[in-house]
Amino acid sequence: MKHSKYNILIPTNGFCIIYNSFTDKFIGLSHKIANDFNDTNDFDAFHDRYETAYEKLKSLGMIIDDTTDELSLIKADYDSTVKGGDNLYIMIYPTQDCNLKCWYCYESHVANSLMSPKVMQATYNAVKKKLEAKHYESLLIGFFGGEPLTNFYDIAYPLSVKIKQFAENNGTKFSTFFVTNASLINKGMVEKLKDINPLFQITFDGTKEKHDTVRIWKKDNKGTYETIINAVKIISNSIYSTFTDDPTITIRINYDNQTLKNIDGLIADLEGVNKDNVIIHFERVWQTRNLVDDEQRELLINAFRKFINAGYTIKHGVFKRKKVSCPSDTYDFMIVNYDGKLYKCNGRTLTPETNEGVLTDDGTIKWDENKLRKRLEKPTFDNPRCLNCKILPLCLGPCSQKLMESGHICDNICSLKSIDISFEDYLKMEFEMRYILQKSE
């Protein structure tokens, strides 16, 4: 027997947390047992001395067989997922226009842009061809933009219904995912959304006072806070996903150096939300990443704790057990813009410079093979730093887009840069949250 390569020890007051990033499991042990475990090379002796702890550590993947090669398993999962996994993910931009004007938005809004019936049919044809060529366990149709619920009844809804019918007739589970500002959602739309098994990402910029200076209508410069609070309450209490075990809504809180100082107001205004059906995700406004200081780190940790204590599940950064760094790193992901042009990364504005292919009218997918090969020819973690990193299973290296843009691995594109707190503090909060949730169950 041997130690897993992906064990991380985090000393705390009174006990030691051990986290394994390969299995995504935690355990809390006394400092004595944890230190003896970390120092031992004689697992027979450790078993004799701490039999209960030994069996638990083994069951959690923290003690593994001598023949187990975790890195080879990671690489095998990565290769099979890149080449073609069991899940097909198509992202659609019904428009690149938006009804709001958030100052930090990276999208270049294209006024009056809408997907035509011709492109809708080509998109359907493309999905149909993919499902006919190979059986997928699941199909996720994502909608992004611009505001993807623009002309919902003419674009996203009928296209989803049509694709859903074909997918389910072929034994493929179907769901949709809307990255939306939620300002257009009402009870009537929710009833239609129920037909297409939706998930949502909906963003707040803190409390009403802060949010309504950022997420404002283009038409009259008024805030959207109360409209979006109402939409979240309606959805969380009426739509439940059958696609995954995950909550229906991810509430994304975009924060800068002022947002977290009055977070209690947002928690209070969310009263009435079905907490079991939402997850809270914190993300710093990227233009302010160089402004993080000790006060901000403390405010973020306090915000985590306040939401956890209020009964919410939270997440921060990009860390979760996965098989590839990003969906764009696989052949089973593509973005269809409103004009029928194809892309691989929704973290960049869809422009002629970022275009990587096109759909024909009959649904044939024509990629720029040189760009596709450059993106997918090499594992994103194929460098010494990532291969030796204890959190490789949670990250899988920088995404292919960043590697293509930088030309090489560098500290500035390490995923640890995506969080404002230390990874140790991040794991402590994750452990605390899971412990609280386990006790509540």
Side-chain angles (χ1 to χ4, degrees), residues 172-191:
T172 298
K173 292 193 299 182
F174 174 89
S175 187
T176 53
F177 173 49
F178 291 87
V179 181
T180 171
N181 60 45
S183 63
L184 302 176
I185 292 174
N186 54 42
K187 290 183 179 179
M189 184 181 290
V190 165
E191 291 305 308

Side-chain angles (χ1 to χ4, degrees), residues 124-144:
Y124 170 77
N125 292 339
V127 176
K128 184 171 178 284
K129 283 176 180 283
K130 294 284 284 186
L131 295 180
E132 287 174 335
K134 173 186 172 181
H135 174 71
Y136 290 92
E137 294 294 328
S138 68
L139 166 62
L140 179 62
I141 300 292
F143 288 96
F144 201 79

Side-chain angles (χ1 to χ4, degrees), residues 29 69 119 184 234 289 297 299 372 418:
L29 297 173
D69 186 339
V119 176
L184 302 176
I234 294 171
R289 284 180 183 165
R297 294 185 182 94
L299 284 169
L372 195 63
S418 72

